[in-house]
Amino acid sequence: RVMVLPATPSRDAGAHSRPSQDGQGEAGPPRPRRPPAFYSSVFAQIEEVGWGQLVSATGDDGVSCLTFRVMDEQRRHHLLEITLPMNYPACPPSIAADVPYLPKLQWSESSRLKDVLCQFQEHLKVLQDYWSTMDGIDKALWVVDPTKPTYAMSHHRIALGDDCYILLHVDTHKPNSLPE
C-alpha cells in the first residue's frame, strides 16, 4: 500500500508564495509541521494494526486522522476514527465512532494505535447485548423511525396501528431492563 504525503516546497523554488484561495498571499504564521519521526512512528503503528484495517488516512499532513474498520463479536462492522493531536503521543488521540457512547481511553506516552483499537474492541463487547436488543426490536416490531438506524441510536418509533405510535428508548447500559 502506498500513501502519498503532501509535497513541500523545495529550497530552490524561490521566494514566491503561493496565492491562497482568496487571491491574497499566504496569511498568518506557517502551520507547524510534524517531525519526520512522527510519520515513521505512525506508519509502524499502522503496520502493527494491519494495513487491511485502515480505511482512510486524511488531515492536513495526510495522517492526522485515521479511520480503521473494526469487527465486533457478531461480525458487525464499525468505523473508528482516530485523530492524532500535534503533540501525539504525549497527548492521547481523540476518537469518534457510531456507538451510543465512547469509551474513556486509558493512555500513556508509551501507548500506541493498537492499544486504542483494543480498548475500542473491549467497548464493543460491552455493547453486544444492547445491539442484540435493538436488532430484536427491528425484527419483531414495525419500526417507522429511524428508517435507517445506526449503531448509535437508542430510540425507535414503533407503529402500533391506527395512526398510533410509541417512542421506545432502550438504556444502552442496561439493555435488558424495561425501556422508557
Side-chain angles (χ1 to χ4, degrees), residues 65-153:
C65 185
L66 305 169
T67 303
F68 291 93
R69 180 177 294 111
V70 182
M71 192 180 316
D72 69 20
E73 294 173 339
Q74 296 299 314
R75 306 195 57 76
R76 296 178 191 100
H77 290 269
H78 304 270
L79 295 178
L80 175 63
E81 184 179 285
I82 303 173
T83 303
L84 306 176
M86 191 56 88
N87 51 355
Y88 175 84
C91 287
S94 61
I95 60 173
D98 187 21
V99 294
Y101 60 96
L102 292 169
K104 178 155 177 43
L105 291 179
Q106 302 299 313
W107 189 259
S108 70
E109 283 194 42
S110 63
S111 295
R112 303 176 65 76
L113 290 174
K114 69 178 181 179
D115 300 320
V116 175
L117 270 81
C118 286
Q119 289 179 53
F120 184 67
Q121 278 195 300
E122 287 301 311
H123 183 64
L124 294 178
K125 287 179 185 177
V126 171
L127 293 168
Q128 292 306 297
D129 285 342
Y130 164 72
W131 286 319
S132 293
T133 299
M134 298 307 281
D135 287 345
I137 290 169
D138 290 341
K139 287 177 183 149
L141 302 172
W142 182 9
V143 177
V144 293
D145 186 44
T147 55
K148 293 186 181 197
T150 67
Y151 292 129
M153 295 179 168

Coordinates of all heavy atoms in Angstrom, one line a residue, residues 65-153:
C65 N -5.7 12.1 10.8 CA -7.0 11.5 11.0 C -7.0 10.1 10.3 O -7.0 10.0 9.1 CB -8.1 12.4 10.5 SG -9.7 11.8 11.0
L66 N -7.0 9.1 11.1 CA -7.0 7.7 10.6 C -8.3 7.0 10.9 O -8.9 7.1 12.0 CB -5.9 6.9 11.3 CG -4.5 7.5 11.2 CD1 -3.5 6.8 12.1 CD2 -4.0 7.5 9.8
T67 N -8.9 6.3 9.9 CA -10.1 5.6 10.1 C -9.9 4.1 9.9 O -9.3 3.7 8.9 CB -11.2 6.1 9.1 OG1 -11.4 7.5 9.3 CG2 -12.5 5.3 9.4
F68 N -10.2 3.3 10.9 CA -10.0 1.9 10.9 C -11.3 1.2 10.9 O -12.3 1.6 11.6 CB -9.2 1.4 12.1 CG -7.8 1.9 12.1 CD1 -7.4 3.0 12.7 CD2 -6.8 1.1 11.5 CE1 -6.0 3.5 12.7 CE2 -5.5 1.5 11.5 CZ -5.1 2.7 12.1
R69 N -11.4 0.0 10.3 CA -12.6 -0.9 10.3 C -12.3 -1.9 11.4 O -11.3 -2.5 11.5 CB -12.8 -1.6 9.0 CG -14.0 -2.5 8.9 CD -14.2 -3.2 7.6 NE -14.5 -2.2 6.6 CZ -13.8 -1.8 5.6 NH1 -12.6 -2.3 5.4 NH2 -14.2 -0.9 4.7
V70 N -13.3 -2.0 12.3 CA -13.2 -2.9 13.4 C -14.5 -3.8 13.4 O -15.6 -3.3 13.2 CB -13.2 -2.2 14.8 CG1 -13.0 -3.1 15.9 CG2 -12.0 -1.2 14.8
M71 N -14.3 -5.1 13.6 CA -15.4 -6.0 13.6 C -15.7 -6.5 15.0 O -14.8 -6.8 15.7 CB -15.2 -7.2 12.7 CG -16.4 -8.1 12.4 SD -16.1 -9.5 11.3 CE -15.1 -8.9 10.1
D72 N -17.0 -6.5 15.4 CA -17.3 -7.0 16.7 C -17.6 -8.5 16.7 O -17.5 -9.1 15.7 CB -18.5 -6.1 17.3 CG -19.8 -6.4 16.7 OD1 -20.0 -7.4 16.0 OD2 -20.7 -5.5 16.8
E73 N -18.0 -9.0 17.9 CA -18.3 -10.4 18.0 C -19.4 -11.0 17.1 O -19.4 -12.1 16.8 CB -18.6 -10.7 19.5 CG -17.4 -10.5 20.4 CD -17.9 -10.6 21.9 OE1 -19.1 -10.6 22.2 OE2 -17.0 -10.8 22.7
Q74 N -20.3 -10.1 16.8 CA -21.4 -10.6 15.9 C -21.2 -10.2 14.5 O -22.1 -10.2 13.7 CB -22.7 -9.9 16.4 CG -23.2 -10.3 17.8 CD -23.4 -11.8 17.9 OE1 -24.1 -12.4 17.0 NE2 -22.9 -12.4 18.9
R75 N -19.9 -9.9 14.1 CA -19.5 -9.6 12.8 C -20.1 -8.3 12.2 O -20.3 -8.1 11.0 CB -19.7 -10.8 11.8 CG -19.1 -12.1 12.4 CD -18.9 -13.2 11.4 NE -18.2 -13.0 10.2 CZ -16.9 -12.9 10.1 NH1 -16.1 -12.9 11.1 NH2 -16.3 -12.7 8.9
R76 N -20.5 -7.4 13.1 CA -20.9 -6.1 12.7 C -19.6 -5.2 12.4 O -18.7 -5.3 13.2 CB -21.7 -5.4 13.8 CG -23.0 -6.1 14.1 CD -23.7 -5.3 15.2 NE -24.9 -6.0 15.8 CZ -24.8 -6.8 16.9 NH1 -23.7 -6.8 17.6 NH2 -25.9 -7.4 17.3
H77 N -19.7 -4.5 11.4 CA -18.5 -3.6 11.0 C -18.7 -2.2 11.6 O -19.8 -1.6 11.5 CB -18.3 -3.5 9.5 CG -17.9 -4.8 8.9 ND1 -16.6 -5.1 8.8 CD2 -18.6 -5.9 8.4 CE1 -16.5 -6.3 8.2 NE2 -17.7 -6.8 8.0
H78 N -17.7 -1.7 12.3 CA -17.7 -0.4 12.9 C -16.5 0.4 12.3 O -15.4 -0.2 12.1 CB -17.6 -0.5 14.4 CG -18.6 -1.3 15.0 ND1 -19.9 -0.8 15.4 CD2 -18.7 -2.6 15.3 CE1 -20.6 -1.8 15.9 NE2 -19.9 -2.9 15.8
L79 N -16.7 1.7 12.1 CA -15.5 2.5 11.7 C -15.1 3.4 12.9 O -15.9 4.0 13.6 CB -16.0 3.5 10.6 CG -16.3 2.8 9.3 CD1 -16.7 3.8 8.2 CD2 -15.1 1.9 8.8
L80 N -13.8 3.3 13.3 CA -13.3 4.0 14.4 C -12.3 5.1 13.8 O -11.4 4.8 13.1 CB -12.5 3.1 15.3 CG -11.7 3.8 16.4 CD1 -12.7 4.5 17.4 CD2 -10.8 2.9 17.2
E81 N -12.7 6.4 14.0 CA -11.9 7.5 13.5 C -11.0 7.9 14.7 O -11.5 8.3 15.8 CB -12.8 8.6 13.1 CG -12.0 9.8 12.5 CD -13.0 10.9 12.0 OE1 -13.7 10.7 11.0 OE2 -13.1 11.9 12.7
I82 N -9.7 7.9 14.4 CA -8.7 8.3 15.4 C -8.0 9.6 14.9 O -7.4 9.6 13.8 CB -7.7 7.2 15.7 CG1 -8.4 5.9 16.1 CG2 -6.6 7.7 16.7 CD1 -7.4 4.7 16.2
T83 N -8.1 10.7 15.7 CA -7.5 11.9 15.3 C -6.2 12.1 16.2 O -6.4 12.2 17.4 CB -8.4 13.1 15.4 OG1 -9.6 12.8 14.6 CG2 -7.8 14.4 15.0
L84 N -5.1 12.3 15.6 CA -3.8 12.4 16.3 C -3.5 13.9 16.5 O -3.4 14.7 15.6 CB -2.7 11.8 15.5 CG -2.9 10.3 15.1 CD1 -1.7 9.8 14.3 CD2 -3.1 9.4 16.4
P85 N -3.4 14.3 17.8 CA -3.1 15.7 18.1 C -1.6 16.0 17.7 O -0.8 15.1 17.4 CB -3.3 15.9 19.6 CG -3.0 14.5 20.1 CD -3.5 13.5 19.0
M86 N -1.3 17.3 17.6 CA 0.0 17.7 17.1 C 1.1 17.2 18.0 O 2.2 16.8 17.6 CB 0.1 19.2 17.1 CG 1.3 19.7 16.4 SD 1.5 19.1 14.7 CE 0.7 20.3 13.8
N87 N 0.8 17.0 19.3 CA 1.8 16.5 20.3 C 1.6 15.0 20.6 O 2.0 14.6 21.7 CB 1.8 17.4 21.5 CG 0.4 17.5 22.1 OD1 -0.6 17.1 21.5 ND2 0.3 18.2 23.3
Y88 N 1.1 14.3 19.7 CA 1.0 12.8 19.8 C 2.3 12.2 19.8 O 3.2 12.7 19.0 CB 0.1 12.3 18.6 CG 0.0 10.8 18.6 CD1 -0.9 10.1 19.3 CD2 0.9 10.0 17.8 CE1 -1.0 8.7 19.3 CE2 0.8 8.6 17.8 CZ -0.2 8.0 18.5 OH -0.3 6.6 18.5
P89 N 2.7 11.3 20.6 CA 1.9 10.5 21.6 C 1.9 11.0 23.0 O 1.3 10.4 23.9 CB 2.5 9.1 21.5 CG 4.0 9.4 21.3 CD 4.0 10.7 20.4
A90 N 2.5 12.2 23.2 CA 2.4 12.8 24.6 C 1.0 13.0 25.0 O 0.7 12.8 26.2 CB 3.2 14.1 24.7
C91 N 0.1 13.4 24.1 CA -1.3 13.6 24.4 C -2.1 12.5 23.7 O -1.7 12.1 22.6 CB -1.8 15.0 24.0 SG -1.2 16.3 25.0
P92 N -3.2 12.0 24.3 CA -3.9 11.0 23.7 C -4.7 11.4 22.4 O -5.0 12.6 22.3 CB -4.9 10.6 24.7 CG -5.1 11.8 25.6 CD -3.8 12.5 25.6
P93 N -4.9 10.5 21.5 CA -5.7 10.9 20.3 C -7.2 11.0 20.8 O -7.6 10.6 21.8 CB -5.5 9.7 19.4 CG -5.3 8.5 20.3 CD -4.5 9.1 21.5
S94 N -8.0 11.6 19.9 CA -9.4 11.7 20.1 C -10.0 10.6 19.2 O -9.5 10.3 18.1 CB -10.0 13.1 19.9 OG -9.7 13.5 18.6
I95 N -11.2 10.1 19.6 CA -11.8 9.1 18.8 C -13.3 9.4 18.5 O -13.9 10.2 19.3 CB -11.7 7.7 19.5 CG1 -12.4 7.7 20.8 CG2 -10.3 7.2 19.6 CD1 -12.5 6.3 21.4
A96 N -13.8 8.9 17.4 CA -15.2 9.1 17.1 C -15.6 7.8 16.4 O -14.9 7.1 15.7 CB -15.4 10.2 16.1
A97 N -16.9 7.4 16.7 CA -17.4 6.1 16.2 C -18.9 6.2 16.3 O -19.5 6.9 17.1 CB -16.8 4.9 16.9
D98 N -19.6 5.4 15.5 CA -21.0 5.3 15.5 C -21.5 4.3 16.6 O -21.9 3.2 16.3 CB -21.5 4.9 14.1 CG -23.1 4.9 14.0 OD1 -23.7 5.6 14.8 OD2 -23.6 4.2 13.1
V99 N -21.3 4.7 17.8 CA -21.7 3.9 19.0 C -22.5 4.8 19.9 O -22.3 6.1 19.9 CB -20.5 3.3 19.7 CG1 -19.8 2.2 18.8 CG2 -19.5 4.3 20.1
P100 N -23.3 4.3 20.8 CA -24.1 5.1 21.7 C -23.3 6.0 22.6 O -23.7 7.1 23.0 CB -24.9 4.2 22.6 CG -24.8 2.8 22.0 CD -23.6 2.9 21.0
Y101 N -22.1 5.6 23.1 CA -21.2 6.4 23.9 C -19.8 5.8 23.7 O -19.6 4.7 23.3 CB -21.6 6.4 25.4 CG -21.6 5.0 26.0 CD1 -20.5 4.5 26.7 CD2 -22.7 4.2 25.9 CE1 -20.5 3.3 27.3 CE2 -22.7 2.9 26.5 CZ -21.6 2.5 27.1 OH -21.6 1.2 27.7
L102 N -18.8 6.7 23.8 CA -17.4 6.3 23.6 C -16.8 5.9 24.9 O -17.1 6.4 25.9 CB -16.7 7.5 22.9 CG -17.1 7.9 21.5 CD1 -16.5 9.2 21.1 CD2 -16.7 6.8 20.5
P103 N -15.8 5.0 24.7 CA -15.0 4.6 25.9 C -14.1 5.8 26.3 O -13.7 6.6 25.5 CB -14.2 3.4 25.5 CG -14.0 3.6 24.0 CD -15.3 4.3 23.6
K104 N -13.7 5.8 27.6 CA -12.7 6.7 28.1 C -11.3 6.0 27.9 O -11.1 4.9 28.4 CB -12.9 7.1 29.5 CG -11.8 8.0 30.1 CD -12.2 8.8 31.2 CE -11.2 9.7 31.8 NZ -10.3 10.4 30.9
L105 N -10.5 6.6 27.0 CA -9.2 5.9 26.7 C -8.3 6.0 27.9 O -8.1 7.0 28.5 CB -8.6 6.6 25.5 CG -9.2 6.4 24.1 CD1 -8.5 7.2 23.1 CD2 -9.4 4.9 23.8
Q106 N -7.6 4.8 28.1 CA -6.5 4.8 29.1 C -5.3 5.0 28.2 O -5.0 4.3 27.3 CB -6.4 3.4 29.7 CG -7.7 3.0 30.5 CD -8.0 4.0 31.6 OE1 -7.1 4.4 32.4 NE2 -9.2 4.5 31.7
W107 N -4.5 6.1 28.6 CA -3.4 6.5 27.7 C -2.2 6.8 28.5 O -2.2 7.4 29.6 CB -3.8 7.7 26.9 CG -2.9 8.1 25.8 CD1 -1.9 9.1 25.9 CD2 -2.7 7.4 24.6 NE1 -1.2 9.1 24.7 CE2 -1.7 8.1 23.9 CE3 -3.3 6.4 24.0 CZ2 -1.3 7.7 22.6 CZ3 -2.9 6.0 22.7 CH2 -1.9 6.7 22.0
S108 N -1.0 6.5 27.9 CA 0.3 6.9 28.5 C 1.1 7.2 27.2 O 0.8 6.9 26.1 CB 0.9 5.8 29.3 OG 1.4 4.7 28.5
E109 N 2.3 7.8 27.5 CA 3.2 8.2 26.3 C 3.7 7.0 25.6 O 4.1 7.1 24.4 CB 4.3 9.1 26.8 CG 3.9 10.5 27.1 CD 5.1 11.4 27.2 OE1 6.1 11.3 26.4 OE2 5.0 12.3 28.1
S110 N 3.6 5.8 26.2 CA 4.1 4.6 25.5 C 2.9 3.9 24.8 O 3.1 2.9 24.1 CB 4.8 3.6 26.5 OG 3.8 3.2 27.5
S111 N 1.7 4.4 24.9 CA 0.6 3.8 24.2 C 0.7 3.9 22.7 O 1.4 4.8 22.2 CB -0.7 4.4 24.7 OG -1.0 4.2 26.1
R112 N 0.0 3.0 22.0 CA 0.1 3.0 20.6 C -1.3 2.9 20.0 O -2.3 2.7 20.7 CB 1.0 1.8 20.1 CG 2.4 2.0 20.8 CD 3.3 0.8 20.5 NE 3.7 0.6 19.1 CZ 4.6 1.4 18.4 NH1 5.2 2.4 19.0 NH2 4.9 1.1 17.2
L113 N -1.4 3.0 18.7 CA -2.7 2.9 18.0 C -3.4 1.6 18.3 O -4.6 1.5 18.4 CB -2.5 3.1 16.5 CG -2.2 4.5 16.0 CD1 -1.9 4.5 14.5 CD2 -3.3 5.4 16.3
K114 N -2.6 0.5 18.3 CA -3.2 -0.8 18.6 C -3.9 -0.9 20.0 O -4.9 -1.5 20.1 CB -2.2 -2.0 18.5 CG -1.1 -2.0 19.6 CD -0.2 -3.2 19.4 CE 0.8 -3.1 20.5 NZ 1.8 -4.2 20.5
D115 N -3.3 -0.1 20.9 CA -4.0 0.0 22.2 C -5.3 0.7 22.1 O -6.3 0.3 22.8 CB -3.1 0.8 23.2 CG -1.7 0.1 23.4 OD1 -1.7 -1.1 23.5 OD2 -0.7 0.8 23.5
V116 N -5.4 1.7 21.3 CA -6.7 2.4 21.1 C -7.7 1.4 20.5 O -8.9 1.3 20.9 CB -6.6 3.6 20.2 CG1 -7.9 4.2 19.9 CG2 -5.6 4.6 20.8
L117 N -7.3 0.6 19.5 CA -8.2 -0.3 18.8 C -8.6 -1.4 19.8 O -9.7 -1.9 19.8 CB -7.6 -0.9 17.5 CG -7.9 0.0 16.3 CD1 -7.1 1.2 16.2 CD2 -7.9 -0.9 15.1
C118 N -7.7 -1.9 20.6 CA -8.0 -3.0 21.6 C -9.0 -2.4 22.6 O -10.0 -3.1 23.0 CB -6.8 -3.4 22.3 SG -5.7 -4.5 21.3
Q119 N -8.9 -1.2 23.1 CA -9.8 -0.6 24.0 C -11.2 -0.5 23.4 O -12.2 -0.7 24.0 CB -9.3 0.7 24.6 CG -8.1 0.6 25.5 CD -7.6 1.9 26.0 OE1 -8.4 2.7 26.5 NE2 -6.3 2.2 25.8
F120 N -11.2 -0.1 22.1 CA -12.5 0.1 21.4 C -13.1 -1.3 21.2 O -14.3 -1.4 21.4 CB -12.2 0.7 20.0 CG -13.5 1.0 19.3 CD1 -14.4 2.0 19.7 CD2 -13.8 0.3 18.1 CE1 -15.6 2.2 19.0 CE2 -14.9 0.6 17.4 CZ -15.9 1.5 17.9
Q121 N -12.4 -2.3 20.9 CA -12.9 -3.7 20.8 C -13.5 -4.1 22.1 O -14.6 -4.8 22.1 CB -11.9 -4.7 20.2 CG -11.8 -4.6 18.7 CD -11.1 -5.7 18.1 OE1 -10.0 -6.0 18.4 NE2 -11.8 -6.4 17.2
E122 N -12.9 -3.8 23.2 CA -13.4 -4.2 24.5 C -14.8 -3.4 24.7 O -15.7 -3.9 25.3 CB -12.4 -3.9 25.6 CG -11.3 -4.8 25.7 CD -11.7 -6.3 25.9 OE1 -12.5 -6.5 26.8 OE2 -11.2 -7.1 25.2
H123 N -14.8 -2.2 24.3 CA -16.0 -1.4 24.4 C -17.1 -2.0 23.6 O -18.3 -2.0 24.0 CB -15.7 0.1 24.0 CG -16.9 1.0 24.1 ND1 -17.4 1.3 25.3 CD2 -17.6 1.7 23.2 CE1 -18.4 2.2 25.2 NE2 -18.6 2.4 23.9
L124 N -16.8 -2.5 22.4 CA -17.8 -3.1 21.5 C -18.4 -4.4 22.2 O -19.6 -4.7 22.1 CB -17.2 -3.5 20.2 CG -16.8 -2.3 19.3 CD1 -16.2 -2.8 18.0 CD2 -18.0 -1.4 19.0
K125 N -17.5 -5.1 23.0 CA -18.0 -6.3 23.7 C -19.1 -5.9 24.7 O -20.1 -6.6 24.9 CB -16.9 -7.0 24.4 CG -16.0 -7.8 23.5 CD -14.8 -8.4 24.3 CE -13.8 -9.1 23.3 NZ -12.7 -9.7 24.1
V126 N -18.9 -4.8 25.4 CA -19.9 -4.3 26.4 C -21.2 -4.0 25.7 O -22.3 -4.1 26.3 CB -19.3 -3.0 27.1 CG1 -20.3 -2.4 27.9 CG2 -18.1 -3.4 27.9
L127 N -21.2 -3.5 24.4 CA -22.4 -3.1 23.7 C -23.1 -4.2 23.0 O -24.2 -4.0 22.4 CB -22.0 -2.0 22.8 CG -21.6 -0.7 23.4 CD1 -21.0 0.3 22.4 CD2 -22.8 0.0 24.1
Q128 N -22.6 -5.5 23.1 CA -23.3 -6.6 22.3 C -24.7 -6.8 22.7 O -25.6 -7.0 21.9 CB -22.4 -7.8 22.4 CG -21.1 -7.8 21.7 CD -21.2 -7.4 20.3 OE1 -21.8 -8.1 19.5 NE2 -20.6 -6.2 19.9
D129 N -25.0 -6.8 24.0 CA -26.4 -7.1 24.5 C -27.3 -5.9 24.0 O -28.4 -6.2 23.6 CB -26.5 -7.2 26.0 CG -25.9 -8.5 26.5 OD1 -25.9 -9.5 25.7 OD2 -25.7 -8.6 27.7
Y130 N -26.8 -4.7 24.0 CA -27.6 -3.6 23.6 C -28.0 -3.8 22.1 O -29.1 -3.6 21.7 CB -26.8 -2.3 23.8 CG -27.3 -1.1 23.1 CD1 -28.5 -0.5 23.4 CD2 -26.6 -0.6 21.9 CE1 -29.0 0.5 22.7 CE2 -27.1 0.4 21.2 CZ -28.3 1.0 21.6 OH -28.8 2.0 20.8
W131 N -27.0 -4.1 21.3 CA -27.3 -4.2 19.8 C -28.1 -5.4 19.5 O -29.0 -5.4 18.6 CB -26.0 -4.2 19.0 CG -25.3 -2.9 18.9 CD1 -26.0 -1.7 18.7 CD2 -24.0 -2.6 19.0 NE1 -25.1 -0.7 18.7 CE2 -23.8 -1.2 18.9 CE3 -22.8 -3.3 19.2 CZ2 -22.6 -0.6 18.9 CZ3 -21.6 -2.7 19.3 CH2 -21.5 -1.3 19.1
S132 N -28.0 -6.5 20.3 CA -28.9 -7.6 20.1 C -30.3 -7.3 20.5 O -31.2 -7.7 19.8 CB -28.4 -8.8 21.0 OG -27.1 -9.3 20.6
T133 N -30.5 -6.5 21.5 CA -31.8 -6.0 21.9 C -32.4 -5.1 20.8 O -33.6 -5.3 20.4 CB -31.8 -5.2 23.2 OG1 -31.3 -6.1 24.2 CG2 -33.1 -4.7 23.6
M134 N -31.6 -4.2 20.3 CA -32.1 -3.3 19.2 C -32.4 -4.1 17.9 O -33.4 -3.9 17.2 CB -31.1 -2.2 18.9 CG -30.8 -1.3 20.1 SD -32.3 -0.6 20.8 CE -32.6 0.7 19.7
D135 N -31.6 -5.1 17.6 CA -31.8 -6.0 16.4 C -33.2 -6.7 16.6 O -33.9 -6.9 15.7 CB -30.7 -7.0 16.2 CG -29.4 -6.4 15.7 OD1 -29.5 -5.2 15.2 OD2 -28.4 -7.0 15.7
G136 N -33.4 -7.2 17.8 CA -34.7 -7.9 18.1 C -35.9 -7.0 17.9 O -36.9 -7.4 17.4
I137 N -35.8 -5.8 18.4 CA -36.9 -4.8 18.2 C -37.1 -4.6 16.7 O -38.2 -4.6 16.2 CB -36.5 -3.5 18.9 CG1 -36.6 -3.7 20.4 CG2 -37.5 -2.3 18.5 CD1 -36.1 -2.5 21.2
D138 N -36.0 -4.4 15.9 CA -36.1 -4.1 14.5 C -36.8 -5.3 13.8 O -37.5 -5.1 12.8 CB -34.7 -3.9 13.9 CG -34.1 -2.5 14.3 OD1 -34.9 -1.7 14.7 OD2 -32.9 -2.4 14.2
K139 N -36.5 -6.5 14.2 CA -37.1 -7.7 13.6 C -38.5 -8.0 14.0 O -39.3 -8.5 13.2 CB -36.2 -8.9 13.9 CG -34.9 -8.9 13.1 CD -34.0 -10.1 13.5 CE -32.7 -9.9 12.8 NZ -31.6 -10.5 13.5
A140 N -38.8 -7.7 15.2 CA -40.2 -8.1 15.7 C -41.2 -7.1 15.6 O -42.4 -7.4 15.6 CB -40.0 -8.6 17.2
L141 N -40.8 -5.8 15.6 CA -41.8 -4.7 15.6 C -41.7 -3.9 14.3 O -40.8 -3.9 13.6 CB -41.6 -3.8 16.8 CG -41.6 -4.6 18.2 CD1 -41.2 -3.6 19.3 CD2 -43.0 -5.1 18.4
W142 N -42.8 -3.1 14.1 CA -42.9 -2.2 12.9 C -42.2 -0.9 13.3 O -42.9 0.0 13.8 CB -44.3 -2.0 12.5 CG -44.6 -1.2 11.3 CD1 -43.6 -0.7 10.4 CD2 -45.8 -0.7 10.9 NE1 -44.2 0.0 9.5 CE2 -45.6 0.0 9.7 CE3 -47.1 -0.9 11.4 CZ2 -46.6 0.6 9.0 CZ3 -48.1 -0.2 10.7 CH2 -47.9 0.5 9.5
V143 N -40.9 -0.8 13.0 CA -40.2 0.4 13.3 C -40.4 1.4 12.2 O -40.1 1.1 11.0 CB -38.7 0.1 13.5 CG1 -37.9 1.4 13.8 CG2 -38.5 -0.9 14.7
V144 N -40.9 2.6 12.5 CA -41.1 3.6 11.4 C -40.1 4.7 11.5 O -39.9 5.5 10.5 CB -42.5 4.2 11.5 CG1 -43.6 3.2 11.2 CG2 -42.8 4.8 12.9
D145 N -39.4 4.9 12.6 CA -38.4 5.9 12.7 C -37.3 5.4 13.7 O -37.7 5.1 14.8 CB -39.0 7.2 13.1 CG -37.9 8.4 13.0 OD1 -37.1 8.4 12.1 OD2 -37.9 9.1 14.0
P146 N -36.1 5.4 13.4 CA -35.5 5.8 12.1 C -35.6 4.7 11.0 O -35.7 3.5 11.4 CB -34.0 6.0 12.5 CG -33.8 5.0 13.7 CD -35.1 5.0 14.4
T147 N -35.7 5.2 9.8 CA -35.9 4.2 8.7 C -34.5 3.5 8.5 O -34.6 2.4 8.0 CB -36.3 4.9 7.4 OG1 -35.4 6.0 7.1 CG2 -37.7 5.5 7.6
K148 N -33.4 4.2 8.7 CA -32.1 3.5 8.6 C -31.4 3.8 9.9 O -30.6 4.7 10.1 CB -31.3 4.1 7.5 CG -31.9 3.8 6.1 CD -31.1 4.2 5.0 CE -31.8 3.9 3.7 NZ -30.9 3.9 2.6
P149 N -31.6 2.9 10.9 CA -31.0 3.1 12.2 C -29.5 2.9 12.2 O -29.0 2.2 11.3 CB -31.6 2.1 13.1 CG -32.2 1.1 12.2 CD -32.5 1.7 10.9
T150 N -28.8 3.7 13.0 CA -27.3 3.5 13.2 C -27.1 2.8 14.5 O -27.9 2.7 15.3 CB -26.6 4.9 13.1 OG1 -27.0 5.6 14.3 CG2 -27.0 5.7 11.9
Y151 N -25.8 2.3 14.6 CA -25.5 1.7 15.9 C -25.5 2.6 17.1 O -25.5 2.1 18.2 CB -24.1 1.0 15.7 CG -24.0 -0.1 14.8 CD1 -23.1 -0.1 13.8 CD2 -24.9 -1.2 14.8 CE1 -23.0 -1.2 12.9 CE2 -24.9 -2.2 14.0 CZ -23.9 -2.2 13.0 OH -23.8 -3.3 12.1
A152 N -25.5 3.9 16.9 CA -25.5 4.8 18.0 C -26.9 5.1 18.5 O -27.1 5.7 19.6 CB -24.9 6.1 17.6
M153 N -28.0 4.8 17.8 CA -29.3 5.2 18.1 C -29.9 4.3 19.2 O -29.9 3.1 19.0 CB -30.2 5.2 16.9 CG -29.8 6.2 15.9 SD -30.9 6.1 14.5 CE -30.5 7.7 13.7

